[in-house]
Amino acid sequence: MKKIRILFVCHGNICRSPMAEFVMKELVRRAGRDDIVVESAALHTDEIGNDIHNGTRRKLLAEGIPFAPRRAWLLTAAKAREYDLLIGMDDYNMADLRRLVFLEDAGKIRKLLSFAGSERDIADPWYTGNFDQTYADILEGCTALLKSL
């Protein structure tokens, strides 16, 4: 069975995309799906090598979402080719993805909340400090994404 490979991306890969990664992994686990692989990456170099943000860690703990230590890494066009879906959190991520990937991979790009029928951005809690709202939006998007698979 071919696995569906999903990559969540955001600016630095320490807040939104790893939150989405771990939320989606838990939803996949609860659904008993072993055909979905989930990872996350950065679109900029600011946080390369850093683990998830403390706010993300606290929110995942509060929601009972398991996570593991990880290091932010930078997405490349060659690496993007390995995934079936490249999922951004906001319009900036979408623009970065379109500039980054090979033309033939552009069809893999989606905004997370588009799966829930919205084109709203998922706000970056690095700036807003609101990890609760970010979590709610990510849960909504990931739930809808899983239903679509």
Side-chain angles (χ1 to χ4, degrees), residues 60-71:
L60 293 173
L61 283 168
E63 297 296 334
I65 304 293
F67 61 93
R70 56 176 308 286
R71 298 206 180 281

Side-chain angles (χ1 to χ4, degrees), residues 7-11 15-21 39-41 43 86-94 97 110-114 119-124 134 137-138 142:
L7 184 70
F8 293 105
V9 297
C10 67
H11 183 92
C15 294
R16 294 172 294 173
S17 60
M19 184 183 285
E21 173 186 349
E39 296 180 48
S40 65
L43 291 165
L86 303 167
I87 302 176
M89 303 293 145
D90 61 27
D91 287 337
Y92 295 111
N93 300 158
M94 301 304 288
L97 275 168
R110 296 283 302 272
K111 196 174 185 182
L112 181 55
L113 283 174
S114 72
E119 285 304 314
R120 273 188 312 112
D121 286 349
I122 294 176
D124 190 342
T134 297
D137 288 344
I138 285 173
C142 287

Side-chain angles (χ1 to χ4, degrees), residues 70-140:
R70 56 176 308 286
R71 298 206 180 281
W73 60 276
L74 185 65
L75 181 62
T76 64
K79 188 71 175 171
R81 178 145 283 174
E82 299 175 14
Y83 297 90
D84 300 300
L85 287 169
L86 303 167
I87 302 176
M89 303 293 145
D90 61 27
D91 287 337
Y92 295 111
N93 300 158
M94 301 304 288
D96 287 340
L97 275 168
R98 285 195 229 34
R99 280 191 298 272
L100 173 71
V101 303
F102 296 120
L103 186 58
E104 55 270 23
D105 292 325
K108 299 175 179 183
I109 298 171
R110 296 283 302 272
K111 196 174 185 182
L112 181 55
L113 283 174
S114 72
F115 292 97
S118 173
E119 285 304 314
R120 273 188 312 112
D121 286 349
I122 294 176
D124 190 342
W126 173 265
Y127 298 105
T128 68
N130 192 342
F131 287 85
D132 294 334
Q133 184 60 55
T134 297
Y135 176 83
D137 288 344
I138 285 173
L139 181 60
E140 179 184 356

